[in-house]
Amino acid sequence: MITSIIINGILIGLIYALLAIGLTVIFGVMRIINMFHGEAVMLGMYAAFVLFDKFGISPYISVFLTAPIFFVLGSIIYKFLIDPIPAREREITSLIITLGISFIFATSAMYIWSADYRTVTLPFSQDVMVFIKTRIGYPALISSCMSAVMIVGFYLFMSKTYMGRAIRATELDKDTASVMGVNVKWISIATFGIGVVLAAMAGGILSPIFYIYPFVGSNFVIKAFTIVVLGGMGSVTGALVGGIILGVAEALASTFLEYSMKDIMAFILFLGILLFKPSGILGGRTRL
Amino acid sequence: MLEIKGIDSGYGKIKVLKDITLKIEKGEMVALVGPNGAGKTTLLKTIAGMIVPSKGDILLEETSISGMPPHKTSARGIAYVPEGRRVFSAMSVEENLLMGTYLKKNRPHKTESLRMVYDLFPRLEERKKQTAGTLSGGEQQMLAIGRGLMMRPKLVLLDEPSLGLAPLLINSIYKVLERLNGEGMTTLLVEQNVKKALSLCKRAYVIESGEIVMKGPSEDILCDENVKCTYLGI
Amino acid sequence: MFFKILSSVLFLLLLFSQVSYGAGTFKIGCPAPMTGPGANFGEKFKKAYTMAADEINAKGGVNGTKLELVFEDTQAKPALAVSSAKKLISSDNVIALLGGWSSGVAFAVAPVALDNKTPYLLEHPALDDITRKNNDYVFRLQPTTGMYSAALEDFILKVVYPKEKKKQLTVAYIYVDNAFGQGVAKYGIIPFFKKNKDKFNLVVSESYNENAMDYKPLLLKVKNAAPDIVVLTSYLTDGILLAKQIKEVGLQAKMFTGTGAGHSMQDIYEKSGKATEKYFSSGPWHGEIKDANWKKWRSAWEKKYKYVPGEHEVEGYVAIQVLAEALKGVKSSDVVKQREELKASLKALNMKTIFGTVKFDNFDGYTNQNKAYKMTAVAQWINGKLLQVWPKEAAEREPAY
Amino acid sequence: MQNRSVKPIVILFVCLVVLSFMPFIIDPGSYKYLYNIFFIVNVTVLLATSWNILGGFAGQISFGHAGFVGIGAYTVALLHYHLQWSPWLALPLAGVVTLLAAVIIGSIAFKLRGPYFALSTLALAEVTKLIAEGWRSFTQGTQGVVVSPGPLLSIPSGGALYFVVSLWLAGFGILCALLIKLSKTSYFFLAVGENEDAALSLGINSKKYKLIALYISSFLAGITGGVLSVHTGFIDPSSGFDMVHTVEPIFLTMVGGIGTVLGPVIGTVLLVPVGEVFRSHFPTAHLLLYGIVLVVFARFIPKGIMGLFRKKKI
Amino acid sequence: MNILEIKDLTKAFGGVVAVSDLNLSIREGIIFGVVGPNGAGKTTLINVITGVEKITKGSIFFKGSDIGKLPTFKRSLEGITRTFQIPQCFTGLTVFENILIPLLLRLPKQEAQLEAARIAERMFLKDDLNKQAQMLSVGRLKLLELAKAYATSPRLLLVDEPMGGVSLDMMDSLINLIKSLRDEGITILLVEHVMKVVVALADELVVLNFGKQIALGAPQEVMKRKEVIEAYLGDEYA
């Protein structure tokens, strides 16, 4: 049973990590806490649902089709609502603005899709494979693997492409990045867009194994925050490690203590890291 | 190459530079010296576009670049090598250098540029995978200069390249600068190490409290009593 | 200056909101979760109330007075619900309050109803304590959490236990950690299995947070205990995930049963990808299904809303009918007196509805509680249909056990 | 000088006394909903003021006020439930118990600065909520606890009583804020919030002042929770520790003007009724409208309403 | 009598040694100059004396008692105050409030206000009294730094590059101001780059390079030493 528990912990941890990445990127580069992160996940789930329901496109494919739309959405929000705020007020004002947007998104979703619960039921939703005596459902397996691929892909984007490096450079030193020829303003807009895309993609990938309703976003936010802190703010590998540690720790706590203990476990981890290594598990400097 | 006509500049309402006029010819290496807080860095930042001057004009090859954001001035060929250790600390050495080829026009020359920098600073090649933040001060300075050179600039603005370095390292960095100047690179060098800077450059400007108080050939400035007094207290 | 104007305009708006419009109707206050996680249920009840009220109004209303429904969003939060209830009572002058979906909300609203001497009719919040507080203004027509398992207990003792021919059956119980889940656990399921210790061994009994994403560690633990019977008390979303993940971890048992709520909603079958096939669900029944009126109502519902109604829809619909019936006894025109008359009339009510007979009694510590033990049933999911299988007299088909 | 510091206190006192007569002018019996809104406004003023003392005066942004409110609310509810205390009598204790909790919370959270401090308060608030959910034998878990307020000094519990009590508690909160603002301490708060390193180098014991701000803030927030629990007559973890209690005081203070005594009051008086009116007039769309109001306010007046006035001492 | 004694002081950041085995004694009532090229450890020395940075090795005695373990604010209350090279003012507050804050720690409000006005006048800040600190120029901010530090009634004042950004005409008055502070009996540790200022002010001068002391003595004499000129001005100068 213990191997099964750990394997399952890792699989859910990968999904947790994907949920956190959009948040950590936006916070890392712009020091903005995006309060509508959960709602972006929710919109991603609905996008996946609609494309699956109407056109039969698998969420694992449609996340790539809808990404440009979410990029534009995120960029517009940053360009017109957050960027014009004077820097001195931005840290907290952006909190209110993104909170307001979260209300707007959630209610709009209710008007568009009603408050009904939706699910994406794939043709192979009941199929199971067995791996080291652990039964893993295909949707769970594919979603976790997709998460891993996305995280690795994003890591490569951030380390191997000019744009990715420009984003990191901007995060580390705006002024110096700008004299390298980086249009810092545009990179900030793009980073916000990317953060929203990552949240929406996480939603899409989550849709086959979770349920969807307009207010589902709030379920993910605290989890995502926990991982951002565990892994270190702004760090992609940190989010991955943080997600897996959280997944496994929760699984172990819920097995050997009581199931309801797992959340307390998560917060004890959270506080412990904050107190003893506020820069996150991988710690040190801001790293990728 | 570069012509600055009577600019005022500063941060917000604080005026740091007053009526600065300055000229650099192509292929020239000019020093800008002055005490801490005199406005040297502010001037470089203004040229690079990080600060918009409130008055006056800046011309690069006869076109005004005044008020242009830094990513545009860099596209026009200005490389600003910031003071201190402003390398991208969490990125590797090679990633730092590649940031120098961020501009589209420089991307095709990526490999040659890297080769050139690694030839200039073999230390950097040895440590290309290392995180920049873990380099020693001198290596970070080399990295910052190398990164600027990756931009294949027409004009390099060097901000205190000898800051906090041991004499040996300073010498090796200065040798590189000399060699690059010999190859025709135009440079504006800001230095607190007056003697060094003046020995390298033929011409210099002295700035104090945001004003150019003296300009001319290096030898003249070195002999000036006032300068001696400011720097040596003699 | 702009803000001064804005604030004075808003203040005026506020005062105008006090003016009650549409006088000459019976206003019924409906605090419901219209946004937030319970919004789906708010919509269900809104449909049910509206359908019943429209039918009554089409026939000319009650004694010539039409019914008017006033909705307020509670987000399923007790504090907001209290605020809504106060507003409905004082500024909308409603004659009675309805429902509120969740036990937590009803628990908080009940004292407000008492303070304002306004009848409060519950059709779904099930926590026993709500009608055990000697609160004379609170009426409940449906079974309490403690009654939810009445039919299930009967079914397990009379059908399952004899059939298994084992001395002791092992049972795993998983329930959602909220007022409803706690209520069912505390008043229904756990006491039942403890009382019959000789026949059953409760090997796992754990609660879970309703927003959890991953139940597999819990289910693996259950699987490890290899129970004969798995009892689940869940809402919809958690029910769906549980059903899917039970399949995934390969947890097998002789019997899976829910206790109403999520497990008796059509959604759970479809949205779990049919994972609840053969699941039982025990809770409030879907109404007197042998009744001709029930059949008529059900086809009318399906025609109007294009889906098969469950317990929530029946309860909501019947609640309005019960109120309408009781309102026949209201004669005066002053709302304060009307409320008293309505209360008296509700107390005297004995009415046959499609949900069953509704009569509010005081018994066993309950006040104004419909003796609804019999309004529970065990139903089973077979081929996408949840049909009642127990008690025998209300069965639509034989249980597949 | 003396006059200048007494004047605002006198004005506050006069306002409170005048407003206390409101129930004689507008009948609480027939305007229950209006009084309900008044009550919510008063309580929210108290909570926003409490947040402002910590976040605005001392510059320590807290994401954990829901935790304080929850602890206060549960103190009243549990004293009533276990020991049959009158909830009214338990009210001051709500503040005290919350303050004691803040001693523990502060000793952990103040090891950190800036966003890390904010996040740790968020985590600590969640932990207290999980304890309230998990410790069923003591807190009744998610089932919640009923509180029946009963009369206060033979004044029957009802709209008028809630209004007057909440009004004076809000007044008490504003008075605390005023006294701080008019005292020397406010300068030390400002110094610590603006630049902790500079403050330390000038001999200001920053930890002490951060703790003072936290203690006052938590005491007021705990009382807020206590009153809410008395008014609602019911408390469960999801409503006691609702994230709204964290988020609402922050944006109301921001809208009104952070760090000023009047800011939280103005923000609350302006926006809370709007929210309530939206909610009852547009049961499904109110969050959408409220969201738009938030975005517009933050986008166009990022410094808050008090920021529009040049002189913003109070 | 020595007001400050530093014994075998070492401060390392990880592997980098900023101050190494330093021994210093500062007599009461003098201006003690500290010079050296950038990165020589001057600011680190100030940080260690004020307790912003913990000591790696060694000890610090202030008026004869070991203060090595006291927190920054207590050292300030004992009489050790500093100014920052990059001014650390309360930027959102007015100049007057900036000066008032340290005074409030030991005076009643009214007296503190009078005193603050007096200090502002003395520090040439009278005209800026009601301006927000963030509106000041760098030079004025340096004055404000000094005013704030002076308001704590220090016995030992550590001044980190007061002249940076100060206009030429202002420099002389500033020199006189610092002199007058010494004449009041305040011991001053002065870190400065502008040599003419150091030479004009310092009664005693130490030159640091790479965290080590390379010369100590009267300024005129020290500045002539070969090793100082090499370290400070470039090796070929001499």
Side-chain angles (χ1 to χ4, degrees):
Chain A
M1 186 171 79
I2 182 89
T3 38
S4 304
I5 284 159
I6 291 175
I7 289 171
N8 274 315
I10 293 171
L11 290 179
I12 193 80
L14 285 167
I15 295 189
Y16 286 171
L18 186 62
L19 276 172
I21 281 190
L23 196 66
T24 202
V25 162
I26 290 179
F27 185 82
V29 178
M30 273 160 296
R31 301 282 133 183
I32 287 174
I33 294 174
N34 179 13
M35 300 290 280
F36 72 81
H37 181 76
E39 277 62 34
V41 175
M42 176 272 292
L43 289 179
M45 293 176 110
Y46 270 111
F49 167 76
V50 168
L51 288 178
F52 180 76
D53 198 46
K54 293 264 187 302
F55 308 104
I57 305 171
S58 160
Y60 301 124
I61 294 162
S62 70
V63 288
F64 296 105
L65 304 178
T66 53
I69 301 169
F70 285 106
F71 181 79
V72 172
L73 179 72
S75 308
I76 288 177
I77 287 172
Y78 185 79
K79 172 102 175 60
F80 293 103
L81 296 178
I82 299 172
D83 192 52
I85 308 290
R88 214 180 132 87
E89 274 87 31
R90 200 176 295 165
E91 193 173 331
I92 291 187
T93 308
S94 63
L95 213 70
I96 306 176
I97 290 185
T98 53
L99 178 75
I101 293 171
S102 82
F103 290 166
I104 295 172
F105 279 175
T107 323
S108 308
M110 195 175 75
Y111 274 92
I112 301 171
W113 293 291
S114 88
D116 287 348
Y117 300 101
R118 317 277 184 173
T119 50
V120 172
T121 307
L122 298 169
F124 48 82
S125 69
Q126 305 266 321
D127 297 347
V128 167
M129 67 163 284
V130 179
F131 172 71
I132 330 179
K133 289 192 196 158
T134 308
R135 291 165 55 92
I136 306 167
Y138 274 120
L141 181 68
I142 298 174
S143 290
S144 296
C145 289
M146 274 286 278
S147 299
V149 169
M150 301 274 307
I151 294 165
V152 170
F154 185 64
Y155 179 87
L156 291 176
F157 167 75
M158 290 293 271
S159 60
K160 299 288 178 223
T161 66
Y162 274 102
M163 178 152 176
R165 285 195 293 258
I167 289 174
R168 286 161 63 209
T170 307
E171 173 180 347
L172 293 164
D173 187 338
K174 269 199 177 59
D175 288 346
T176 311
S178 74
V179 297
M180 300 283 101
V182 177
N183 184 342
V184 172
K185 202 165 205 169
W186 192 83
I187 286 288
S188 298
I189 292 170
T191 309
F192 204 88
I194 289 170
V196 173
V197 168
L198 286 168
M201 286 182 130
I205 286 171
L206 197 56
S207 62
I209 55 168
F210 209 62
Y211 45 82
I212 309 166
Y213 67 94
F215 301 91
V216 74
S218 55
N219 287 11
F220 312 123
V221 175
I222 297 229
K223 201 127 271 174
F225 267 120
T226 312
I227 294 158
V228 168
V229 171
L230 282 181
M233 307 196 190
S235 165
V236 177
T237 39
L240 182 62
V241 174
I244 290 175
I245 288 181
L246 184 67
V248 174
E250 281 189 357
L252 291 176
S254 49
T255 311
F256 295 106
L257 305 166
E258 247 185 69
Y259 185 72
S260 46
M261 288 298 288
K262 79 184 178 79
D263 291 327
I264 294 219
M265 185 70 204
F267 284 107
I268 289 172
L269 251 177
F270 182 100
L271 281 172
I273 293 288
L274 265 180
L275 285 176
F276 299 109
K277 207 144 190 315
S279 50
I281 292 170
L282 290 182
R285 289 157 226 93
T286 332
R287 59 162 74 209
L288 185 57
Chain B
M1 183 80 175
L2 181 77
E3 202 179 346
I4 296 171
K5 292 179 176 167
I7 58 162
D8 284 7
S9 180
Y11 305 88
K13 285 178 185 170
I14 306 151
K15 217 160 96 178
V16 179
L17 298 179
K18 281 151 259 167
D19 198 32
I20 300 274
T21 299
L22 184 148
K23 210 170 171 181
I24 303 171
E25 298 299 335
K26 200 170 162 53
E28 221 186 354
M29 194 159 190
V30 176
L32 179 68
V33 295
N36 260 15
K40 303 184 299 278
T41 300
T42 309
L43 179 56
L44 293 196
K45 283 188 173 171
T46 310
I47 300 171
M50 295 156 92
I51 305 168
V52 179
S54 51
K55 206 191 92 198
D57 204 4
I58 305 171
L59 303 176
L60 182 75
E61 295 179 315
E62 270 84 59
T63 21
S64 169
I65 56 162
S66 179
M68 253 185 209
H71 64 271
K72 288 203 173 139
T73 61
S74 60
R76 295 202 167 215
I78 294 181
Y80 170 61
V81 178
E83 76 179 300
R85 294 168 183 184
R86 295 185 75 171
V87 292
F88 300 117
S89 55
M91 292 164 80
S92 74
V93 168
E94 188 152 304
E95 282 177 327
N96 262 279
L97 291 175
L98 286 175
M99 278 310 293
T101 56
Y102 180 77
L103 289 166
K104 286 229 165 54
K105 59 169 189 174
N106 289 334
R107 291 185 193 181
H109 314 294
K110 188 169 85 178
T111 5
E112 304 125 72
S113 301
L114 272 177
R115 194 66 260 147
M116 174 191 75
V117 172
Y118 286 150
D119 287 344
L120 280 175
F121 302 109
R123 283 285 276 283
L124 294 182
E125 190 166 19
E126 287 162 29
R127 319 207 154 195
K128 65 181 176 189
K129 293 275 173 251
Q130 200 173 322
T131 312
T134 61
L135 296 179
S136 75
E139 288 161 347
Q140 290 190 0
Q141 195 63 62
M142 290 176 197
L143 180 56
I145 296 171
R147 191 179 57 188
L149 297 179
M150 293 288 286
M151 297 170 75
R152 308 193 152 228
K154 293 174 186 160
L155 171 68
V156 179
L157 310 172
L158 272 174
D159 202 349
E160 310 234 7
S162 68
L163 192 83
L165 300 188
L168 264 175
L169 269 173
I170 299 180
N171 284 340
S172 63
I173 283 180
Y174 267 70
K175 282 204 182 96
V176 171
L177 293 180
E178 215 167 345
R179 184 173 138 198
L180 290 169
N181 182 234
E183 286 164 15
M185 191 176 73
T186 316
T187 310
L188 176 60
L189 174 70
V190 160
E191 254 307 346
Q192 55 148 357
N193 192 329
V194 187
K195 167 68 187 160
K196 266 270 174 214
L198 295 185
S199 68
L200 185 67
C201 305
K202 298 208 171 48
R203 218 154 58 77
Y205 290 84
V206 180
I207 182 168
E208 265 181 52
S209 304
E211 288 172 69
I212 303 268
V213 293
M214 204 180 177
K215 61 176 179 179
S218 298
E219 305 87 63
D220 298 0
I221 289 176
L222 216 45
C223 298
D224 186 78
E225 282 307 314
N226 207 2
V227 173
K228 270 192 181 165
C229 180
T230 309
Y231 289 91
L232 306 175
I234 307 169
Chain C
M1 203 56 228
F2 169 71
F3 292 101
K4 271 188 188 162
I5 297 167
L6 184 72
S7 54
S8 33
V9 167
L10 287 169
F11 193 68
L12 283 176
L13 192 68
L14 203 73
L15 290 178
F16 279 122
S17 73
Q18 299 287 311
V19 180
S20 60
Y21 36 83
T25 58
F26 285 132
K27 286 206 226 166
I28 298 163
C30 314
M34 306 305 293
T35 64
N40 180 254
F41 294 93
E43 273 183 14
K44 279 183 195 299
F45 282 108
K46 191 173 179 185
K47 281 173 184 159
Y49 297 155
T50 315
M51 181 172 174
D54 286 352
E55 281 175 16
I56 290 161
N57 288 341
K59 286 181 197 149
V62 181
N63 300 340
T65 311
K66 294 200 168 167
L67 301 182
E68 185 189 334
L69 303 174
V70 187
F71 285 90
E72 274 274 318
D73 180 24
T74 64
Q75 299 178 19
K77 291 178 182 172
L80 282 183
V82 165
S83 172
S84 297
K86 286 185 178 165
K87 184 239 168 190
L88 288 168
I89 292 169
S90 61
S91 77
D92 293 312
N93 286 317
V94 297
I95 188 164
L97 292 172
L98 270 181
W101 175 53
S102 71
S103 294
V105 160
F107 209 30
V109 169
V112 178
L114 178 64
D115 284 350
N116 292 283
K117 300 196 171 21
T118 306
Y120 179 25
L121 178 62
L122 304 180
E123 79 296 66
H124 190 68
L127 183 64
D128 291 63
D129 308 44
I130 305 170
T131 43
R132 293 177 77 108
K133 295 265 172 204
N134 285 325
N135 186 336
D136 212 22
Y137 284 85
V138 177
F139 297 80
R140 172 151 55 191
L141 66 85
Q142 96 284 15
T144 68
T145 48
M147 301 172 183
Y148 262 49
S149 53
L152 181 69
E153 294 167 10
D154 201 39
F155 180 70
I156 288 179
L157 283 176
K158 289 194 180 135
V159 179
V160 179
Y161 185 75
K163 229 172 188 171
E164 282 305 319
K165 297 191 174 101
K166 269 164 88 177
K167 190 172 172 288
Q168 210 186 23
L169 296 181
T170 48
V171 183
Y173 182 40
I174 303 173
Y175 55 100
V176 59
D177 187 3
N178 61 24
F180 166 70
Q182 295 282 355
V184 176
K186 186 167 138 196
Y187 294 106
I189 300 294
I190 294 175
F192 166 68
F193 286 115
K194 289 252 165 86
K195 201 172 71 196
N196 296 290
K197 250 190 219 148
D198 50 327
K199 298 191 177 82
F200 305 98
N201 180 13
L202 199 54
V203 286
V204 176
S205 170
E206 279 197 36
S207 64
Y208 62 81
N209 180 314
E210 54 188 307
N211 295 328
M213 289 175 71
D214 181 29
Y215 298 92
K216 284 182 214 157
L218 177 57
L219 294 173
L220 283 168
K221 204 175 185 174
V222 173
K223 189 185 173 189
N224 216 31
D228 299 309
I229 300 173
V230 175
V231 185
L232 306 156
T233 297
S234 307
Y235 279 174
L236 182 58
T237 52
D238 42 348
I240 292 170
L241 288 189
L242 276 167
K244 280 183 172 179
Q245 294 180 7
I246 281 173
K247 283 257 170 297
E248 210 181 317
V249 301
L251 167 60
Q252 278 161 351
K254 299 270 161 51
M255 175 190 191
F256 285 98
T257 180
T259 59
H263 286 103
S264 54
M265 291 169 71
Q266 191 62 32
D267 274 352
I268 200 163
Y269 185 81
E270 281 156 17
K271 298 198 166 147
S272 66
K274 304 180 185 167
T276 59
E277 180 73 15
K278 296 272 168 30
Y279 273 40
F280 291 90
S281 173
S282 147
W285 62 8
H286 298 177
E288 288 261 31
I289 48 179
K290 299 255 163 91
D291 185 0
N293 284 331
W294 184 84
K295 287 179 182 140
K296 218 170 86 193
W297 170 77
R298 179 175 153 159
S299 57
W301 181 282
E302 283 186 69
K303 208 173 138 207
K304 185 163 180 173
Y305 294 120
K306 312 282 182 270
Y307 72 93
V308 185
E311 71 195 49
H312 303 90
E313 288 83 355
V314 190
E315 290 165 348
Y317 182 84
V318 168
I320 295 288
Q321 287 193 322
V322 166
L323 273 184
E325 182 64 29
L327 280 169
K328 284 182 184 159
V330 172
K331 303 281 182 248
S332 54
S333 57
D334 172 47
V335 72
V336 176
K337 280 184 197 141
Q338 284 180 337
R339 287 171 185 158
E340 286 305 318
E341 286 167 359
L342 177 64
K343 184 187 129 196
S345 162
L346 276 169
K347 275 192 167 293
L349 190 83
N350 187 347
M351 178 189 180
K352 183 105 179 68
T353 71
I354 56 171
F355 190 62
T357 305
V358 176
K359 183 174 181 302
F360 301 104
D361 281 325
N362 300 345
F363 61 97
D364 299 343
Y366 294 104
T367 310
N368 296 339
Q369 170 68 47
N370 190 17
K371 265 190 185 156
Y373 289 104
K374 284 208 169 146
M375 294 181 186
T376 61
V378 177
Q380 192 178 17
W381 287 103
I382 296 172
N383 291 328
K385 281 199 172 146
L386 180 66
L387 296 180
Q388 280 169 204
V389 295
W390 194 265
K392 266 211 153 69
E393 59 274 20
E396 292 166 277
R397 68 171 163 221
E398 279 295 304
Y401 184 80
Chain D
M1 190 56 225
Q2 214 54 34
N3 279 340
R4 256 175 67 197
S5 54
V6 168
K7 206 173 133 200
I9 295 173
V10 171
I11 293 175
L12 173 68
F13 195 73
V14 169
C15 283
L16 289 176
V17 170
V18 170
L19 284 172
S20 302
F21 282 98
M22 184 113 90
F24 293 104
I25 302 158
I26 304 172
D27 174 27
S30 35
Y31 289 97
K32 281 186 177 144
Y33 180 56
L34 192 63
Y35 273 84
N36 190 54
I37 292 184
F38 286 159
F39 171 81
I40 295 171
V41 168
N42 291 339
V43 170
T44 315
V45 163
L46 180 60
L47 184 60
T49 301
S50 141
W51 186 88
N52 191 36
I53 287 173
L54 184 59
F57 288 7
Q60 308 300 313
I61 304 296
S62 147
F63 283 173
H65 263 57
F68 297 143
V69 172
I71 293 169
Y74 264 96
T75 306
V76 168
L78 293 177
L79 280 171
H80 178 65
Y81 181 82
H82 289 296
L83 305 173
Q84 285 76 47
W85 280 41
S86 156
W88 295 110
L89 276 176
L91 260 189
L93 248 104
V96 173
V97 171
T98 312
L99 196 151
L100 292 177
V103 172
I104 300 167
I105 288 171
S107 70
I108 298 172
F110 279 133
K111 295 204 156 103
L112 303 160
R113 280 195 194 179
Y116 295 109
F117 167 76
L119 285 171
S120 72
T121 56
L122 176 75
L124 286 162
E126 283 293 316
V127 169
T128 46
K129 178 187 179 185
L130 291 170
I131 291 172
E133 278 176 2
W135 194 356
R136 268 177 224 156
S137 57
F138 183 57
T139 63
Q140 303 295 296
T142 44
Q143 202 178 318
V145 186
V146 175
V147 183
S148 4
L152 169 66
L153 306 171
S154 75
I155 306 165
S157 154
L161 181 64
Y162 286 127
F163 171 71
V164 175
V165 170
S166 64
L167 178 74
W168 282 85
L169 285 175
F172 175 67
I174 298 170
L175 181 71
C176 288
L178 256 179
L179 288 176
I180 295 171
K181 199 81 203 177
L182 296 169
S183 76
K184 281 179 174 187
T185 315
S186 76
Y187 288 97
F188 303 139
F189 279 179
L190 277 174
V192 172
E194 283 269 344
N195 190 333
E196 198 172 336
D197 290 324
L200 278 170
S201 80
L202 296 176
I204 296 167
N205 184 349
S206 64
K207 178 134 194 213
K208 175 176 134 192
Y209 290 103
K210 290 202 284 193
L211 285 174
I212 291 177
L214 177 73
Y215 294 160
I216 297 173
S217 180
S218 63
F219 182 81
L220 296 178
I223 290 194
T224 312
V227 192
L228 278 176
S229 139
V230 175
H231 181 253
T232 313
F234 171 78
I235 198 77
D236 70 347
S238 68
S239 55
F241 296 91
D242 196 334
M243 269 299 279
V244 168
H245 301 319
T246 291
V247 174
E248 205 170 30
I250 300 181
F251 72 71
L252 292 174
T253 308
M254 295 290 158
V255 166
I258 185 168
T260 57
V261 175
L262 282 178
V265 182
I266 291 179
T268 307
V269 170
L270 211 59
L271 280 190
V272 167
V274 176
E276 285 294 314
V277 169
F278 280 170
R279 195 165 62 83
S280 51
H281 285 251
F282 315 98
T284 51
H286 64 100
L287 278 178
L288 179 75
L289 297 169
Y290 206 53
I292 292 171
V293 170
L294 284 189
V295 171
V296 169
F297 260 106
R299 168 70 180 79
F300 295 103
I301 352 174
K303 281 186 181 174
I305 294 163
M306 291 299 285
L308 297 175
F309 304 102
R310 198 177 301 154
K311 199 164 182 284
K312 48 171 181 178
K313 275 274 156 284
I314 289 173
Chain E
M1 193 207 149
N2 291 332
I3 189 159
L4 191 78
E5 297 241 24
I6 292 173
K7 287 191 179 145
D8 304 325
L9 182 79
T10 298
K11 172 67 201 175
F13 297 96
V16 186
V17 180
V19 175
S20 105
D21 283 324
L22 191 68
N23 282 290
L24 279 182
S25 302
I26 301 175
R27 271 181 294 129
E28 188 154 13
I30 65 163
I31 296 178
F32 187 85
V34 179
V35 297
N38 271 339
K42 304 180 300 271
T43 299
T44 306
L45 180 64
I46 292 187
N47 284 343
V48 171
I49 296 173
T50 51
V52 173
E53 306 275 7
K54 283 198 186 100
I55 301 170
T56 310
K57 215 185 82 202
S59 45
I60 301 176
F61 294 90
F62 177 67
K63 293 200 224 159
S65 54
D66 189 349
I67 55 160
K69 294 229 155 49
L70 288 183
T72 305
F73 77 90
K74 283 212 175 126
R75 296 193 203 191
S76 172
L77 294 175
E78 294 274 322
I80 305 177
T81 313
R82 70 175 299 183
T83 70
F84 290 86
Q85 184 184 355
I86 299 155
Q88 300 286 321
C89 297
F90 308 117
T91 46
L93 307 185
T94 64
V95 168
F96 180 71
E97 287 166 329
N98 266 279
I99 303 172
L100 185 64
I101 283 172
L103 288 168
L104 287 170
L105 275 175
R106 55 191 175 83
L107 292 176
K109 202 169 169 182
Q110 259 163 304
E111 278 174 50
Q113 281 171 330
L114 292 174
E115 179 71 9
R118 206 179 60 74
I119 293 176
E121 183 157 6
R122 180 162 176 198
M123 302 284 176
F124 315 110
L125 286 165
K126 205 177 153 197
D127 299 336
D128 300 324
L129 221 49
N130 292 315
K131 273 191 199 158
Q132 274 201 335
Q134 57 190 354
M135 296 303 184
L136 297 186
S137 70
V138 184
R140 308 247 106 198
L141 280 174
K142 293 264 169 169
L143 287 174
L144 180 55
E145 275 290 302
L146 204 57
K148 263 189 328 169
Y150 176 66
T152 63
S153 323
R155 299 314 307 150
L156 174 64
L157 183 59
L158 313 164
V159 189
D160 200 352
E161 300 214 8
M163 299 300 164
V166 174
S167 64
L168 286 176
D169 47 321
M170 199 59 208
M171 230 174 242
D172 286 332
S173 17
L174 201 52
I175 289 173
N176 289 331
L177 178 67
I178 292 175
K179 267 190 189 148
S180 74
L181 295 182
R182 175 193 56 191
D183 297 343
E184 265 177 43
I186 302 173
T187 314
I188 291 167
L189 184 144
L190 174 74
V191 170
E192 184 50 68
H193 260 111
V194 182
M195 278 306 148
K196 71 173 180 197
V197 175
V198 180
V199 173
L201 277 174
D203 301 307
E204 213 178 316
L205 184 66
V206 68
V207 184
L208 300 181
N209 199 16
F210 295 103
K212 289 198 175 77
Q213 173 182 328
I214 59 172
L216 177 74
Q220 296 289 356
E221 186 258 327
V222 165
M223 289 312 291
K224 286 186 186 123
R225 291 196 201 166
K226 185 167 177 287
E227 63 269 29
V228 173
I229 294 171
E230 263 177 23
Y232 204 72
L233 303 165
D235 45 2
E236 300 116 41
Y237 201 78

